[in-house]
Amino acid sequence: MAVIVELTIPADAFELGQILRVEEPTQVTVETMVPLGGKPTPFVRIHNGTRDTFERTVREHPSVHDIQLVNSHDDELLYALDWEPADDSVLQTILNLGGVLLNATGTADRWSLELRFPTHEALSAFQEYYIEQEIQVSIKHIYNPTRPDAGPWFGLTPPQRETLSYAVESGYYSLPREVSTQELAKRFDISDQAVTERLRRGIATLVQNTLLVNAEKD
């Protein structure tokens, strides 16, 4: 059965931390890892960063082919990163073991990762790797929350995941509500009805692939 692990790793021990170097208080978030041409292509969002300095630093890294600005909104910038991970790197080791990078958020010093491995044996192999490499990884949580066939992000589509995450972070589910359906719709350039349906389907998928898994077994 698949297993999910949440951990932290020093920025200088993680190749994306080495490439996407930032200074406080800038925060970097890897939005998705899309396999294009046989290699993982991250979409990277930076918050409170300096565009010129960030782009110049990234392009100087020898494994980077290019970085392109995809979108900008207020103090956030979204990039597509074209790079070639080394064979013995942390990320390539994760991918070789069948792992998936679900979430990655970094600062100047540390990165927080959420990884999904196909089996506990694959996770154990990854743990053996970083211990052998003397990488100071700190494990926060290990759990089996989803159906085996749920796929990354608990079965959510990328639009559902992005909309649900933004809705929660923006206070859509707070009391009193801090953002309206109309504001969410404007943020994602869709209709009110479409954003409501996206949230509804996303929540239903989350519940089916997490809370109802053990109930079905019972």
Side-chain angles (χ1 to χ4, degrees):
M1 178 177 286
V3 57
I4 291 179
V5 57
E6 296 177 5
L7 57 85
T8 61
I9 185 172
D12 58 4
F14 182 49
E15 58 271 30
L16 285 178
Q18 298 166 6
I19 295 170
L20 307 171
R21 288 181 294 158
V22 294
E23 297 181 358
E24 298 291 355
T26 302
Q27 185 180 72
V28 185
T29 303
V30 176
E31 295 291 320
T32 54
M33 295 287 290
V34 181
L36 299 175
K39 61 183 178 181
T41 301
F43 282 83
V44 179
R45 191 180 302 275
I46 68 169
H47 309 260
N48 302 316
T50 302
R51 175 178 176 179
D52 293 341
T53 302
F54 177 76
E55 292 180 5
R56 182 173 63 253
T57 301
V58 172
R59 288 194 174 97
E60 288 175 352
H61 197 278
S63 68
V64 173
H65 301 305
D66 193 18
I67 183 170
Q68 295 184 346
L69 182 66
V70 177
N71 192 22
S72 62
H73 179 73
D74 294 337
D75 62 346
E76 297 181 351
L77 300 171
L78 181 66
Y79 291 94
L81 177 65
D82 182 5
W83 71 310
E84 196 71 43
D87 292 339
D88 60 348
S89 65
V90 172
L91 183 58
Q92 190 60 56
T93 300
I94 293 168
L95 298 176
N96 290 344
L97 291 169
V100 176
L101 181 65
L102 301 180
N103 287 298
T105 302
T107 60
D109 299 322
R110 298 193 69 80
W111 277 68
S112 297
L113 309 181
E114 185 179 17
L115 308 171
R116 187 173 191 262
F117 289 95
T119 62
H120 280 273
E121 289 75 15
L123 172 58
S124 296
F126 174 62
Q127 291 174 315
E128 291 175 5
Y129 159 80
Y130 68 70
I131 291 173
E132 182 178 316
Q133 297 295 319
E134 298 183 349
I135 300 173
Q136 298 300 311
V137 171
S138 177
I139 301 293
K140 301 301 182 183
H141 301 287
I142 298 177
Y143 51 97
N144 306 92
T146 66
R147 301 174 188 268
D149 61 348
W153 306 311
F154 315 101
L156 295 174
T157 65
Q160 289 171 349
R161 176 174 175 263
E162 184 179 13
T163 306
L164 267 174
S165 298
Y166 184 81
V168 172
E169 292 171 353
S170 301
Y172 179 75
Y173 293 103
S174 301
L175 291 175
R177 183 168 286 174
E178 297 175 9
V179 64
S180 67
T181 304
Q182 290 77 13
E183 289 171 311
L184 290 179
K186 182 178 180 181
R187 172 69 171 80
F188 295 101
D189 194 26
I190 57 179
S191 67
D192 295 2
Q193 182 178 353
V195 78
T196 301
E197 183 65 12
R198 185 179 295 180
L199 292 173
R200 186 190 68 79
R201 289 181 179 273
I203 292 172
T205 298
L206 278 176
V207 172
Q208 289 168 359
N209 287 328
T210 55
L211 299 181
L212 296 184
V213 173
N214 291 331
E216 289 184 359
K217 292 180 179 180
D218 296 341

